[in-house]
Amino acid sequence: MKNSEQLYKSISERILILDGAMGTMLQRYKFEEEDYRGERFKDWEHPVKGNNDLLSLTQPQAIEEVHRKYLEAGADILETNTFSGTTIAMADYHMEELVYELNYESAKIARKVCDEFTAQNPDKPRFVAGSIGPTNRTASLSPDVNDPGYRAITFEELRVAYKQQCEALLDGGSDILLVETIFDTLNAKAALYAIDELQDERNIKIPIMVSGTITDASGRTLSGQTAEAFLISVSHLNLLSVGFNCALGADQLTPYLETLAHNSEFYVSAYPNAGLPNAFGKYDETPEDMAGQIKEYVEKGLINIIGGCCGTTPDHIKAISDLVAQYPPRKTKEFV
């Protein structure tokens, strides 16, 4: 991986900034069904509105614009627009055949903008993280309350789907693979297994970020793991970072980040939501409020990578970037 050396150098020197929410920004465009379809898919037999990954093909200028705004706000790492970029998730739109192209083109868009910004300021290199979401099926839980032993997906099916996605993300220019919003660690293990296969096949070392999600005040993932159990179950690989994102606001995430920071030799990442959603599903937390809560992370020395999830915008990322620039990154053992 050609940018790995720069990445490890940067993360050892300062807290790196991950971008904010893609979906929140795309909502501002108010795209309708015909916008999602574009010319290429105008006769598609099935509805596609809501398939944000498809916009990398039909509205690439919007995806590029969102990426650009986050880099202007101070982001070091851009996530590709591929959260649902597996055959499993794309089955909802009958677009399984497009998976490689969706991931490849999404990575290329992010790569282009990152390279532009790096060229303008070589002292602040920008990196592309291939976003790998959890899919809409779970290997650990039954979707049927009357049949608790039933599973809608197998480990092998997940491995195959994730491997296809990861190949395309790498081919499109990703520097990092980010397995994110993990609510079922067995799904994540399938993704990590696929990534490890690619490391062997291509004889490369891929920087891997792993980010789980604590779903409620119980402090557990949806499949029942505590923060410590989650850490243990993904620590068999030499990860770049482990962390949490989504579900909770910044203040609620603090104790779980403390668990990771005190028990892991990996770098620690966090990208919380802009608070909790209101009755209308909107996020009200201001950039200033969110940065104020994240101040606790940096004062306690908990993080190496920080960004935003649902409800966050370039304004949130700018406020967070300005704040953490004043603090050193969490200290960890050197490993390459």
Side-chain angles (χ1 to χ4, degrees):
M1 302 291 285
K2 66 176 185 177
N3 291 329
S4 290
E5 195 174 319
Q6 277 189 315
L7 174 63
Y8 279 92
K9 181 175 185 294
S10 297
I11 200 170
S12 68
E13 294 172 347
R14 57 193 172 86
I15 298 171
L16 296 187
I17 307 296
L18 190 69
D19 61 5
M22 175 62 77
T24 300
M25 295 298 290
L26 290 175
Q27 285 172 11
R28 297 180 174 186
Y29 290 87
K30 296 183 166 54
F31 288 137
E32 296 297 338
E33 180 73 28
E34 60 268 24
D35 302 306
Y36 277 87
R37 288 174 175 267
E39 186 62 26
R40 178 175 168 187
F41 300 100
K42 66 179 183 179
D43 297 323
W44 197 255
E45 293 180 6
H46 308 278
V48 295
K49 185 179 178 181
N51 184 357
N52 283 350
D53 294 29
L54 182 63
L55 296 174
S56 293
L57 302 183
T58 57
Q59 302 290 340
Q61 75 290 340
I63 304 302
E64 184 175 324
E65 189 173 41
V66 172
H67 284 330
R68 200 175 294 279
K69 286 178 177 174
Y70 279 124
L71 291 182
E72 287 167 350
D76 298 287
I77 303 171
L78 282 185
E79 290 187 64
T80 55
N81 179 41
T82 55
F83 186 79
S84 299
T86 57
T87 50
I88 297 160
M90 280 296 140
D92 287 354
Y93 304 97
H94 303 271
M95 287 185 157
E96 296 96 324
E97 294 300 314
L98 292 170
V99 161
Y100 184 91
E101 184 184 3
L102 285 171
N103 285 279
Y104 180 79
E105 293 299 329
S106 294
K108 270 183 69 177
I109 295 168
R111 176 82 274 149
K112 173 192 167 191
V113 187
C114 278
D115 288 349
E116 281 178 24
F117 276 74
T118 299
Q120 291 166 16
N121 183 4
D123 292 334
K124 186 178 167 69
R126 313 299 179 103
F127 306 99
V128 177
S131 169
I132 302 163
T135 82
N136 48 6
R137 301 194 182 186
T138 167
S140 291
L141 302 168
S142 172
D144 183 355
V145 293
N146 297 313
D147 186 0
Y150 172 72
R151 296 293 180 268
I153 195 82
T154 66
F155 184 93
E156 178 62 12
E157 287 168 332
L158 286 163
R159 181 197 67 80
V160 170
Y162 281 131
K163 189 171 182 180
Q164 180 188 21
Q165 181 179 27
C166 292
E167 285 178 317
L169 288 170
L170 291 173
D171 293 347
S174 297
D175 302 302
I176 301 162
L177 291 179
L178 167 55
V179 184
E180 64 171 323
T181 321
I182 299 164
F183 58 81
D184 179 353
T185 310
L186 192 55
N187 284 42
K189 281 179 170 287
L192 294 172
Y193 190 96
I195 293 169
D196 209 24
E197 280 188 321
L198 285 172
Q199 291 190 119
D200 288 343
E201 289 170 12
R202 299 190 178 197
N203 195 26
I204 55 174
K205 181 180 182 303
I206 302 166
I208 306 165
M209 294 175 64
V210 167
S211 186
T213 186
I214 299 292
T215 49
D216 56 36
S218 71
R220 294 174 180 268
T221 65
L222 188 65
S223 55
Q225 284 188 313
T226 62
E228 193 166 20
F230 169 72
L231 171 64
I232 291 167
S233 63
V234 297
S235 291
H236 56 290
L237 280 181
N238 188 9
L239 306 175
L240 170 69
S241 68
V242 64
F244 290 116
N245 73 289
C246 202
L248 302 177
D251 55 343
Q252 294 102 340
L253 207 54
T254 306
Y256 312 118
L257 292 176
E258 287 179 320
T259 296
L260 298 184
H262 298 156
N263 293 286
S264 177
E265 64 177 14
F266 305 132
Y267 294 112
V268 170
S269 71
Y271 48 116
N273 292 345
L276 298 175
N278 62 25
F280 304 101
K282 303 291 184 184
Y283 294 85
D284 300 323
E285 198 159 87
T286 66
E288 295 71 30
D289 287 345
M290 190 171 179
Q293 292 168 17
I294 283 170
K295 189 173 183 182
E296 184 177 9
Y297 299 177
V298 287
E299 286 179 339
K300 290 183 173 180
L302 301 180
I303 55 167
N304 304 94
I305 302 171
I306 184 72
C309 204
C310 302
T312 56
T313 66
D315 289 340
H316 290 82
I317 298 304
K318 174 82 165 62
I320 292 167
S321 177
D322 290 347
L323 167 76
V324 304
Q326 306 164 46
Y327 292 86
R330 167 181 165 271
K331 293 284 181 270
T332 186
K333 295 177 191 172
E334 283 299 314
F335 70 100
V336 177

